[in-house]
Amino acid sequence: MAAKRNEIEDKSVRGISMIQLWRREWHVKQQGAVQWLYPLILFLVIITLFPLAVGSEPQLLQRLGVSAVWIAALLSLVMGVDGLFKPALDNGTLAQLVVAEASLPLWVLIRLIIHWIFSSGVIAVLSVLAVPLFGLSWLETGILMLSIIAGSPMLLMLSAVASSLTLSLKNGAVLVPLIALPMQLPVLIFATGAVDLFATGLNGLPILALLLAGSIISVLVVPWVIAVTLKMAWLN
């Protein structure tokens, strides 16, 4: 499977349109199904074992449920970013893009969007398991899903920046969480705080709007930063 995926990655990118690039990256992602399934399995394992570890007291589970789901989502997201750009650098796809003077920011953006769909998008859906596992209400779970959708793009962008910065290092995958997690903690705090506000009858929409605005800004800016970093990694 890995060999087949590398063969797809090695296809020429010269003259490729945005739609073709999207189809290509989507197909590449499907070929690497095992790699993007691991973070989802980690997410399920964490939220499943968490109630067993803290006990079966309903009030305690409800109080910790939102944080547990968000921590599981954060760890799963960080785990899956190592394969974002490393295969493209190793098999020559990145070199073809640079030599062909293709739009690296566009390629990065498409790659990140597809990765988000297969990671955080699925995790947002799986967060409904917080209802039976932690006893959260459907309202709280709905707000939790919205907070993941609003805040996870920013988390992914920060993780992608960390991944691109460590691309040329021998043990770069180990450094990605160390670089990304400190920057991601404010997003985690704001997201869980928004859900808590709704749970207490207060308005948490401003916080969700702030998370969404941060995600939009990061989506617009970060691909350009990563493109420069990837080009430097290729030159080195």
Side-chain angles (χ1 to χ4, degrees), residues 86 166-174:
K86 185 67 173 176
T166 59
L167 198 59
S168 58
L169 301 180
K170 184 177 181 180
N171 296 319
V174 180

Side-chain angles (χ1 to χ4, degrees), residues 66-81:
V66 175
S67 299
V69 173
W70 252 103
I71 291 173
L74 176 59
L75 294 177
S76 302
L77 187 62
V78 172
M79 176 184 175
V81 297

Side-chain angles (χ1 to χ4, degrees), residues 43-88:
F43 174 80
L44 292 175
V45 169
I46 293 176
I47 66 171
T48 303
L49 294 181
F50 196 89
L52 299 177
V54 301
S56 58
E57 184 180 350
Q59 293 182 350
L60 179 60
L61 289 177
Q62 290 177 1
R63 189 165 63 249
L64 299 178
V66 175
S67 299
V69 173
W70 252 103
I71 291 173
L74 176 59
L75 294 177
S76 302
L77 187 62
V78 172
M79 176 184 175
V81 297
D82 182 49
L84 278 175
F85 308 114
K86 185 67 173 176

Side-chain angles (χ1 to χ4, degrees), residues 4-32 84-85 87-98 102-104 106-108 110-111 114-115 118:
K4 188 174 182 180
R5 185 187 181 193
N6 287 335
E7 182 181 350
I8 296 172
E9 289 266 8
D10 288 334
K11 290 182 178 179
S12 176
V13 296
R14 294 179 183 271
I16 194 169
S17 67
M18 179 178 179
I19 296 177
Q20 290 173 324
L21 187 59
W22 176 277
R23 290 175 179 173
R24 175 185 175 278
E25 293 300 327
W26 185 271
H27 192 43
V28 169
K29 197 68 175 179
Q30 288 180 325
Q31 293 298 322
L84 278 175
F85 308 114
L89 178 64
D90 293 339
N91 59 37
T93 300
L94 182 60
Q96 293 180 40
L97 286 166
V98 175
S103 176
L104 277 182
L106 177 60
W107 174 75
V108 170
I110 291 176
R111 204 170 183 91
I114 293 176
H115 182 79
F118 281 83

